Amino acid sequence: MFGAVTIKDIAKALGLSTSTVSRALNGSYEIGAETKKLVQEYAEKVHYRPNPIALSLKDQKSHSIGVVVAELANNFFSQAINGIESIAYSSDYHVIITQTHESHEREIANVEHLMSRHVDGLLVSVASGSTDLKHFQSLRDRGFPIVFFDRVVDDIEAHKVVTNNFKGAFDATELLINNGFKRIAHIAMASNLAISRERLNGYKAALEKHGLPFDAEYVKHCLHGGRAINEVEEAIAELMALAEKPDAVFSGSDRITIGCFGTFKKMGLTVPNDVAMVGFTDSDVTELFDPPLTVIRQPAFQIGQMATEMLIKQIRSKYPVTEFVTETLSTELIERGSAKNTAKP
Amino acid sequence: MFGAVTIKDIAKALGLSTSTVSRALNGSYEIGAETKKLVQEYAEKVHYRPNPIALSLKDQKSHSIGVVVAELANNFFSQAINGIESIAYSSDYHVIITQTHESHEREIANVEHLMSRHVDGLLVSVASGSTDLKHFQSLRDRGFPIVFFDRVVDDIEAHKVVTNNFKGAFDATELLINNGFKRIAHIAMASNLAISRERLNGYKAALEKHGLPFDAEYVKHCLHGGRAINEVEEAIAELMALAEKPDAVFSGSDRITIGCFGTFKKMGLTVPNDVAMVGFTDSDVTELFDPPLTVIRQPAFQIGQMATEMLIKQIRSKYPVTEFVTETLSTELIERGSAKNTAKP
DNA sequence: TTGAAAGCGCTAACAC
DNA sequence: GTGTTAGCGCTTTCAA
């Protein structure tokens, strides 16, 4: 192709057979020391690189892993992929990324496409609308390596890597409680996402632990995750119309948080004096808010790394894997300015 | 591998030779209509998919393209890659992404790695520190397909896709001028980036066109692109300490913009009443600011798409390409609230 | 210690 | 119209 040296070229140049060259290059012990040295030095000199395609064909491994996510533009996923790349790269796998855009049909098509490319394994965060999981199940049944991350499914036996959403939400809520806030609202993402439910449960648990009542009126869901600013604005309007206005808000995503900041400002409310805030975050722009946002940070990068490590281990395993683990990665509470209690120090 | 049906399996099952099956599948005209139909239906039935690895080995094409960018976590690049993926996917190429983290050494290593994977072409946005470009030049000399995007290099003959940074900055500045602002500051990214210089030139040109003096004191550079909030804070402090305070700021990046917003708030300045703002943006969070930011939007997605289209065309070209084009994509001016002139309507 | 040859999946030049 | 064969780059029995 573009100046690629093959084993054959080396063999010809050195007057050896291709098999001898191959063995020398792979350090086989049954090769004369001089021959070996000769070959290796020559290979080095001409910059020989084994053709990965030929290797793939030979041993029926493509050395690539397929990734199925909702949206590359989503910060969580782009960071997770960052982590995936970092491990894959150093393990000499390459990564084929596909996006579902939350469509079940595209999910199936993507898996099909990845399989036709003979990927050695799959890293999957299921589309939010996917209930029928036959396409994954049949692969798992045949022992095909899959690791699910972030948005996982209960019904399939496989390795999984998730965020501890429950504890993250618990921590966020408890921090607010410990800082003296009593009427804590929660503005969450769509309720059909498991991660939303887990966070809601964490929120409830913290209230309960501290003897605060749970009030359904304090919980608002944004169907579009705050993508439409009105969603958030309306949620806050409703909250602030309550007889007992909340004195703090725990937000379920960056978009919601940003919406909250905008709306508060519009209403003339300052953070944290009038309303304190803690957010669940995928990114780091919230650090630059004013006041800097106190957040629960998702370890997106690490999730990607860990999922990839588990997958590659499974791919390389000599024996079929039968024990499956679910790794739960902790969120990190980062205290900045937005959850301070300025009234009661 | 995992249930993959080969041409051989089909041949055996149907009592034909592999070549007949191959031809039938490829719709060769010199095959009996019945045989062809028989084969195609059977292939369909058993869900036959050609092995892309075998094809690659055969025709010396990997059907993959290599991408070299600074940082996946950078919004501009993740959106550009989104565009790259969208075209590559539908053209049946897959994409191998590598990151330089702005290191020249890693750039060389990545190119080397991609070449050893036999990618059919390269999509490159050069690392900010790269001055020595031998690794690209020698590939180009051998006619290897490369398309540069965003951060391009003048010295190498190749297709290129860039943003019209000059015009974007010109538009931003002119909008502020047209809205009645007279003392327009520019807070820019590191001055060693070509894109910074182009934007600065656009800014100057707009001032000149409208007969406003250029004042070097109104231009501040942030070496770290606003990554450290102090950078921006200090820049603004200096600007606001001037005898003639600026009445508007044109910001060179999202991070800088966010820093500006925070700093203004801290100083008790409101946007746009005290200072108007226009930003250069890669993302859409700025829409949710308060006030929503008026921006020059970079067509990151389209840049990725166009670069990929050009690359694939070049890869598929029967003849060596000798005419090279530089596509310049326009930015989009999106007026929202931050550049309104509340004093003079 | 080294070489010859087969085979991974597929295509294409060359038979017949 | 269909089969045979060689070959893409590499590894690995099997012989020598």
Coordinates of all heavy atoms in Angstrom, one line a residue, chain A residues 58-132:
Chain A
K58 N -6.4 -14.0 10.1 CA -5.8 -15.3 10.5 C -6.5 -15.7 11.8 O -7.0 -16.9 11.9 CB -4.3 -15.1 10.8 CG -3.6 -16.3 11.1 CD -3.1 -17.0 9.9 CE -2.5 -18.4 10.1 NZ -3.5 -19.4 10.2
D59 N -6.5 -14.9 12.8 CA -7.0 -15.4 14.1 C -8.4 -15.0 14.4 O -8.8 -15.1 15.6 CB -6.0 -15.2 15.2 CG -5.7 -13.7 15.4 OD1 -6.7 -13.0 15.6 OD2 -4.5 -13.4 15.3
Q60 N -9.1 -14.6 13.4 CA -10.5 -14.3 13.6 C -10.9 -13.3 14.7 O -11.9 -13.5 15.4 CB -11.2 -15.7 13.9 CG -11.0 -16.7 12.8 CD -11.8 -16.4 11.5 OE1 -11.8 -15.3 11.0 NE2 -12.5 -17.4 11.0
K61 N -10.0 -12.4 14.8 CA -10.3 -11.3 15.8 C -10.1 -10.0 15.0 O -9.1 -9.9 14.3 CB -9.3 -11.4 16.9 CG -9.4 -12.6 17.8 CD -9.9 -12.2 19.2 CE -10.0 -13.5 20.0 NZ -11.1 -14.4 19.6
S62 N -11.0 -9.1 15.2 CA -10.8 -7.8 14.5 C -10.0 -6.8 15.3 O -9.6 -5.8 14.7 CB -12.2 -7.2 14.1 OG -12.8 -6.9 15.3
H63 N -9.8 -7.1 16.5 CA -9.1 -6.2 17.4 C -9.8 -4.8 17.4 O -9.2 -3.8 17.5 CB -7.6 -6.0 17.0 CG -6.8 -7.0 17.7 ND1 -6.2 -6.9 18.8 CD2 -6.6 -8.3 17.3 CE1 -5.6 -8.0 19.2 NE2 -5.8 -8.9 18.2
S64 N -11.1 -4.9 17.3 CA -11.9 -3.6 17.4 C -13.1 -3.9 18.4 O -13.6 -5.0 18.5 CB -12.3 -3.1 16.1 OG -13.2 -4.1 15.5
I65 N -13.5 -2.9 19.0 CA -14.7 -3.0 19.9 C -15.7 -2.0 19.5 O -15.4 -0.9 19.1 CB -14.4 -2.9 21.4 CG1 -13.7 -1.6 21.7 CG2 -13.4 -4.0 21.8 CD1 -13.2 -1.5 23.1
G66 N -16.9 -2.4 19.5 CA -18.0 -1.5 19.1 C -18.6 -0.8 20.3 O -18.8 -1.4 21.3
V67 N -19.0 0.4 20.0 CA -19.6 1.2 21.1 C -21.0 1.7 20.6 O -21.1 2.2 19.5 CB -18.7 2.4 21.5 CG1 -19.4 3.3 22.5 CG2 -17.4 2.0 22.0
V68 N -21.9 1.5 21.5 CA -23.3 2.0 21.2 C -23.7 3.0 22.3 O -23.9 2.6 23.4 CB -24.3 0.8 21.2 CG1 -25.7 1.3 20.8 CG2 -23.8 -0.2 20.2
V69 N -23.9 4.2 21.9 CA -24.3 5.3 22.8 C -25.5 6.1 22.2 O -25.7 5.9 21.0 CB -23.2 6.2 23.2 CG1 -22.1 5.5 24.0 CG2 -22.7 7.0 22.0
A70 N -26.1 6.9 23.0 CA -27.2 7.7 22.5 C -26.7 8.8 21.6 O -27.2 8.9 20.4 CB -28.0 8.3 23.7
E71 N -25.8 9.6 22.1 CA -25.4 10.8 21.4 C -24.0 11.2 21.7 O -23.6 11.4 22.9 CB -26.3 11.9 21.9 CG -26.8 12.9 20.9 CD -28.2 12.5 20.4 OE1 -29.1 12.2 21.2 OE2 -28.3 12.6 19.2
L72 N -23.2 11.4 20.7 CA -21.8 11.8 20.9 C -21.8 13.2 21.5 O -20.9 13.5 22.3 CB -21.1 11.8 19.6 CG -19.6 11.4 19.6 CD1 -19.5 10.0 20.3 CD2 -19.1 11.3 18.2
A73 N -22.8 14.0 21.1 CA -22.8 15.4 21.6 C -23.1 15.5 23.1 O -22.8 16.6 23.7 CB -23.8 16.2 20.8
N74 N -23.6 14.5 23.7 CA -23.8 14.5 25.1 C -22.5 14.4 25.9 O -21.7 13.5 25.7 CB -24.7 13.3 25.4 CG -25.0 13.1 26.9 OD1 -24.2 13.4 27.7 ND2 -26.2 12.7 27.2
N75 N -22.3 15.4 26.7 CA -21.0 15.5 27.4 C -20.6 14.2 28.2 O -19.5 13.8 28.2 CB -21.1 16.6 28.4 CG -19.8 17.4 28.5 OD1 -18.8 16.9 28.8 ND2 -19.9 18.7 28.1
F76 N -21.6 13.6 28.8 CA -21.3 12.3 29.5 C -20.7 11.3 28.6 O -19.7 10.7 28.9 CB -22.6 11.8 30.2 CG -22.4 10.4 30.8 CD1 -21.8 10.4 32.1 CD2 -22.7 9.3 30.2 CE1 -21.6 9.1 32.7 CE2 -22.4 8.0 30.7 CZ -21.9 8.0 32.0
F77 N -21.3 11.1 27.4 CA -20.8 10.1 26.5 C -19.5 10.5 25.9 O -18.6 9.6 25.7 CB -21.9 9.8 25.4 CG -23.1 9.1 26.0 CD1 -24.3 9.6 25.8 CD2 -22.9 7.9 26.6 CE1 -25.5 9.0 26.3 CE2 -24.0 7.2 27.1 CZ -25.3 7.8 27.0
S78 N -19.3 11.8 25.6 CA -18.0 12.1 25.0 C -16.9 11.9 26.0 O -15.8 11.5 25.6 CB -18.0 13.5 24.4 OG -18.1 14.5 25.4
Q79 N -17.2 12.1 27.3 CA -16.2 11.8 28.2 C -16.0 10.3 28.5 O -14.9 9.9 28.7 CB -16.5 12.5 29.6 CG -16.3 14.0 29.5 CD -16.5 14.7 30.8 OE1 -17.1 15.7 30.8 NE2 -15.9 14.2 31.8
A80 N -17.1 9.6 28.5 CA -17.0 8.2 28.6 C -16.2 7.6 27.5 O -15.3 6.7 27.7 CB -18.4 7.5 28.7
I81 N -16.4 8.1 26.3 CA -15.7 7.6 25.1 C -14.2 7.9 25.2 O -13.4 7.2 24.8 CB -16.3 8.1 23.8 CG1 -17.7 7.4 23.6 CG2 -15.4 8.0 22.6 CD1 -18.5 8.0 22.5
N82 N -14.0 9.1 25.8 CA -12.6 9.5 26.1 C -11.9 8.4 26.9 O -10.8 7.9 26.6 CB -12.6 10.8 26.8 CG -11.5 11.7 26.5 OD1 -10.5 11.2 26.0 ND2 -11.7 13.0 26.7
G83 N -12.6 7.9 27.9 CA -12.1 6.9 28.8 C -11.9 5.6 28.0 O -10.9 4.8 28.2
I84 N -12.9 5.3 27.2 CA -12.9 4.0 26.4 C -11.7 4.1 25.5 O -10.9 3.1 25.4 CB -14.2 3.9 25.6 CG1 -15.4 3.7 26.5 CG2 -14.1 2.8 24.5 CD1 -16.8 3.8 25.8
E85 N -11.5 5.2 24.8 CA -10.4 5.3 23.9 C -9.1 5.1 24.6 O -8.2 4.5 24.1 CB -10.4 6.7 23.2 CG -11.5 7.0 22.2 CD -11.1 6.4 20.8 OE1 -9.9 6.0 20.6 OE2 -12.0 6.3 20.0
S86 N -9.0 5.7 25.8 CA -7.7 5.7 26.4 C -7.3 4.2 26.8 O -6.1 3.9 26.6 CB -7.7 6.5 27.7 OG -8.4 5.8 28.7
I87 N -8.2 3.4 27.2 CA -7.8 2.0 27.5 C -7.7 1.2 26.2 O -6.7 0.5 26.0 CB -8.9 1.3 28.3 CG1 -9.1 2.1 29.7 CG2 -8.6 -0.1 28.5 CD1 -7.9 1.9 30.6
A88 N -8.6 1.4 25.3 CA -8.6 0.6 24.0 C -7.2 0.9 23.3 O -6.6 0.0 22.9 CB -9.7 1.0 23.1
Y89 N -6.9 2.2 23.2 CA -5.7 2.5 22.5 C -4.5 1.8 23.1 O -3.7 1.2 22.4 CB -5.5 4.1 22.7 CG -4.4 4.6 21.9 CD1 -4.5 5.0 20.5 CD2 -3.1 4.7 22.4 CE1 -3.5 5.5 19.8 CE2 -2.0 5.3 21.7 CZ -2.2 5.6 20.4 OH -1.2 6.1 19.7
S90 N -4.4 1.8 24.4 CA -3.2 1.2 25.0 C -3.2 -0.3 25.0 O -2.2 -1.0 25.2 CB -2.9 1.8 26.4 OG -4.0 1.5 27.2
S91 N -4.4 -0.8 24.7 CA -4.5 -2.3 24.6 C -4.5 -2.7 23.2 O -4.7 -3.9 22.8 CB -5.7 -2.8 25.3 OG -5.9 -2.3 26.6
D92 N -4.3 -1.7 22.3 CA -4.2 -2.0 20.9 C -5.5 -2.5 20.3 O -5.6 -3.4 19.4 CB -3.1 -3.0 20.6 CG -2.3 -2.5 19.4 OD1 -2.0 -1.3 19.3 OD2 -2.0 -3.3 18.5
Y93 N -6.6 -2.0 20.8 CA -7.9 -2.2 20.2 C -8.3 -0.9 19.6 O -8.0 0.2 20.0 CB -9.0 -2.6 21.2 CG -8.9 -4.1 21.5 CD1 -7.9 -4.6 22.4 CD2 -9.7 -5.0 20.9 CE1 -7.8 -5.9 22.7 CE2 -9.6 -6.4 21.2 CZ -8.7 -6.8 22.1 OH -8.6 -8.1 22.3
H94 N -9.1 -1.0 18.5 CA -9.7 0.3 18.2 C -11.2 0.3 18.3 O -11.8 -0.8 18.5 CB -9.2 0.8 16.8 CG -9.6 0.1 15.6 ND1 -8.8 -0.7 14.9 CD2 -10.8 0.1 15.0 CE1 -9.5 -1.2 13.9 NE2 -10.7 -0.7 13.9
V95 N -11.7 1.4 18.3 CA -13.1 1.6 18.7 C -14.0 2.1 17.6 O -13.6 3.0 16.9 CB -13.1 2.7 19.9 CG1 -14.5 3.1 20.3 CG2 -12.3 2.2 21.0
I96 N -15.1 1.5 17.4 CA -16.0 1.9 16.4 C -17.2 2.5 17.1 O -17.9 1.7 17.9 CB -16.4 0.8 15.5 CG1 -15.2 0.1 14.9 CG2 -17.4 1.3 14.4 CD1 -15.5 -1.0 13.9
I97 N -17.5 3.7 17.0 CA -18.6 4.4 17.7 C -19.8 4.5 16.9 O -19.8 4.9 15.7 CB -18.1 5.8 18.1 CG1 -16.9 5.7 19.0 CG2 -19.3 6.5 18.8 CD1 -16.1 7.0 19.1
T98 N -20.9 4.1 17.5 CA -22.2 4.4 16.8 C -23.2 5.1 17.7 O -23.1 4.9 18.9 CB -22.9 3.0 16.3 OG1 -23.2 2.3 17.5 CG2 -21.9 2.2 15.5
Q99 N -24.1 5.8 17.1 CA -25.1 6.6 17.9 C -26.5 6.1 17.6 O -26.8 5.9 16.5 CB -25.0 8.0 17.6 CG -23.6 8.6 17.7 CD -23.5 10.1 17.4 OE1 -24.0 10.9 18.1 NE2 -22.8 10.4 16.3
T100 N -27.3 6.0 18.7 CA -28.7 5.6 18.4 C -29.6 6.7 18.3 O -30.7 6.6 17.8 CB -29.2 4.7 19.6 OG1 -29.2 5.5 20.8 CG2 -28.3 3.5 19.9
H101 N -29.2 7.9 18.8 CA -30.1 9.0 18.9 C -31.4 8.6 19.6 O -32.5 9.1 19.2 CB -30.4 9.6 17.5 CG -29.1 10.1 16.8 ND1 -28.5 11.3 17.2 CD2 -28.4 9.6 15.9 CE1 -27.4 11.5 16.4 NE2 -27.3 10.4 15.7
E102 N -31.3 7.7 20.5 CA -32.4 7.2 21.3 C -33.4 6.4 20.5 O -34.6 6.2 21.0 CB -33.1 8.4 22.1 CG -32.2 9.3 22.9 CD -31.6 8.6 24.2 OE1 -31.7 7.3 24.3 OE2 -31.1 9.3 25.0
S103 N -33.0 6.0 19.4 CA -34.0 5.2 18.6 C -33.7 3.7 18.7 O -32.5 3.3 18.5 CB -33.9 5.6 17.1 OG -34.1 4.5 16.2
H104 N -34.7 3.0 19.0 CA -34.6 1.5 19.1 C -34.2 0.9 17.8 O -33.3 0.0 17.8 CB -35.9 0.9 19.6 CG -35.8 -0.5 19.9 ND1 -36.7 -1.4 19.4 CD2 -35.0 -1.2 20.7 CE1 -36.3 -2.6 19.8 NE2 -35.3 -2.5 20.6
E105 N -34.7 1.3 16.7 CA -34.4 0.8 15.4 C -32.9 1.0 15.1 O -32.2 0.1 14.6 CB -35.2 1.5 14.3 CG -36.6 1.0 14.2 CD -37.4 1.5 15.4 OE1 -37.3 2.6 15.8 OE2 -38.2 0.7 16.0
R106 N -32.4 2.2 15.3 CA -31.0 2.5 15.1 C -30.1 1.7 15.9 O -29.1 1.2 15.6 CB -30.7 4.0 15.2 CG -31.2 4.8 14.0 CD -30.4 6.0 13.9 NE -29.0 5.8 13.5 CZ -28.2 6.7 13.1 NH1 -28.6 7.9 12.8 NH2 -26.9 6.4 12.8
E107 N -30.6 1.4 17.1 CA -29.8 0.6 18.0 C -29.6 -0.8 17.4 O -28.5 -1.3 17.4 CB -30.5 0.4 19.4 CG -29.7 -0.3 20.4 CD -30.3 -0.2 21.8 OE1 -30.1 0.8 22.5 OE2 -31.0 -1.2 22.2
I108 N -30.7 -1.4 16.9 CA -30.6 -2.7 16.3 C -29.7 -2.6 15.1 O -28.8 -3.5 14.9 CB -32.0 -3.2 15.9 CG1 -32.8 -3.5 17.2 CG2 -31.9 -4.5 15.1 CD1 -34.3 -3.9 17.0
A109 N -29.9 -1.6 14.3 CA -29.1 -1.5 13.0 C -27.6 -1.3 13.4 O -26.8 -1.9 12.7 CB -29.6 -0.3 12.2
N110 N -27.4 -0.6 14.4 CA -26.0 -0.4 14.8 C -25.3 -1.7 15.3 O -24.2 -1.9 14.9 CB -25.9 0.7 15.9 CG -26.2 2.1 15.4 OD1 -26.2 2.3 14.2 ND2 -26.4 3.0 16.3
V111 N -26.0 -2.4 16.1 CA -25.5 -3.7 16.6 C -25.2 -4.6 15.4 O -24.1 -5.2 15.3 CB -26.4 -4.3 17.6 CG1 -25.9 -5.7 17.9 CG2 -26.5 -3.5 18.8
E112 N -26.1 -4.6 14.5 CA -26.0 -5.5 13.3 C -24.7 -5.0 12.5 O -23.9 -5.9 12.1 CB -27.3 -5.3 12.4 CG -27.1 -5.7 11.0 CD -27.8 -7.0 10.7 OE1 -28.3 -7.6 11.6 OE2 -27.9 -7.3 9.5
H113 N -24.6 -3.8 12.3 CA -23.5 -3.2 11.6 C -22.2 -3.5 12.3 O -21.2 -4.0 11.6 CB -23.7 -1.7 11.4 CG -22.5 -1.0 10.8 ND1 -21.7 -0.1 11.5 CD2 -22.0 -1.1 9.5 CE1 -20.7 0.3 10.6 NE2 -20.9 -0.3 9.5
L114 N -22.1 -3.4 13.6 CA -20.9 -3.7 14.3 C -20.6 -5.1 14.2 O -19.4 -5.5 14.1 CB -21.1 -3.2 15.8 CG -21.1 -1.7 16.0 CD1 -21.6 -1.4 17.4 CD2 -19.8 -1.1 15.7
M115 N -21.6 -6.0 14.3 CA -21.3 -7.4 14.2 C -20.8 -7.8 12.8 O -19.9 -8.6 12.7 CB -22.6 -8.2 14.5 CG -23.0 -8.1 16.0 SD -21.7 -8.4 17.2 CE -21.3 -10.1 16.8
S116 N -21.3 -7.1 11.8 CA -20.9 -7.5 10.5 C -19.4 -7.0 10.3 O -18.7 -7.5 9.4 CB -21.8 -6.9 9.4 OG -21.4 -5.5 9.2
R117 N -19.0 -6.1 11.1 CA -17.6 -5.6 11.1 C -16.7 -6.5 12.0 O -15.6 -6.3 12.2 CB -17.5 -4.2 11.6 CG -17.9 -3.2 10.6 CD -17.1 -1.9 10.8 NE -17.4 -0.9 9.8 CZ -16.9 -0.8 8.6 NH1 -16.0 -1.6 8.3 NH2 -17.2 0.2 7.9
H118 N -17.4 -7.5 12.5 CA -16.7 -8.5 13.3 C -16.0 -7.9 14.5 O -14.8 -8.3 14.9 CB -15.7 -9.3 12.5 CG -16.3 -10.2 11.5 ND1 -16.1 -11.5 11.5 CD2 -17.2 -10.0 10.5 CE1 -16.9 -12.1 10.6 NE2 -17.5 -11.1 9.9
V119 N -16.6 -7.0 15.2 CA -16.0 -6.4 16.4 C -15.9 -7.6 17.4 O -16.6 -8.6 17.4 CB -16.9 -5.3 17.0 CG1 -16.9 -4.1 16.2 CG2 -18.3 -5.8 17.4
D120 N -14.9 -7.5 18.3 CA -14.6 -8.6 19.2 C -15.5 -8.4 20.5 O -15.6 -9.4 21.3 CB -13.2 -8.5 19.6 CG -12.3 -8.8 18.5 OD1 -12.7 -9.4 17.5 OD2 -11.1 -8.5 18.5
G121 N -16.1 -7.3 20.7 CA -17.0 -7.1 21.8 C -17.7 -5.8 21.7 O -17.4 -5.0 20.8
L122 N -18.7 -5.6 22.6 CA -19.6 -4.5 22.5 C -19.6 -3.7 23.9 O -19.7 -4.3 24.9 CB -21.0 -4.9 22.2 CG -21.7 -4.5 20.9 CD1 -20.7 -4.3 19.7 CD2 -22.7 -5.6 20.5
L123 N -19.6 -2.4 23.8 CA -19.8 -1.5 25.0 C -21.1 -0.8 24.7 O -21.2 0.0 23.8 CB -18.6 -0.6 25.0 CG -17.6 -0.6 26.1 CD1 -17.4 -2.0 26.7 CD2 -16.2 -0.1 25.6
V124 N -22.0 -1.0 25.6 CA -23.4 -0.5 25.3 C -24.0 0.3 26.4 O -24.0 -0.1 27.6 CB -24.3 -1.7 25.0 CG1 -25.7 -1.2 24.7 CG2 -23.8 -2.5 23.8
S125 N -24.5 1.4 26.1 CA -25.4 2.2 26.9 C -26.8 2.3 26.2 O -26.9 2.9 25.2 CB -24.8 3.6 27.1 OG -25.6 4.3 28.1
V126 N -27.7 1.5 26.7 CA -28.9 1.3 25.9 C -29.7 2.6 25.6 O -29.7 3.5 26.5 CB -29.9 0.3 26.5 CG1 -29.2 -1.1 26.5 CG2 -30.3 0.7 27.9
A127 N -30.4 2.6 24.5 CA -31.2 3.8 24.1 C -32.4 3.9 25.1 O -32.9 2.8 25.6 CB -31.7 3.6 22.7
S128 N -32.8 5.1 25.4 CA -33.8 5.2 26.5 C -35.1 4.5 26.1 O -35.8 4.1 27.0 CB -34.1 6.7 26.7 OG -34.8 7.3 25.6
G129 N -35.4 4.4 24.8 CA -36.7 3.8 24.4 C -36.6 2.3 24.3 O -37.6 1.6 24.1
S130 N -35.4 1.7 24.5 CA -35.3 0.2 24.2 C -35.9 -0.6 25.3 O -35.4 -0.7 26.5 CB -33.9 -0.2 24.0 OG -33.4 0.1 22.7
T131 N -36.9 -1.4 25.0 CA -37.5 -2.3 26.0 C -37.2 -3.7 25.4 O -36.9 -4.6 26.2 CB -39.0 -2.1 26.1 OG1 -39.6 -2.0 24.9 CG2 -39.2 -0.9 27.0
D132 N -37.3 -3.9 24.1 CA -37.1 -5.2 23.5 C -35.5 -5.3 23.4 O -34.9 -4.6 22.7 CB -37.7 -5.2 22.2 CG -37.4 -6.5 21.4 OD1 -36.8 -7.4 22.1 OD2 -37.7 -6.6 20.2

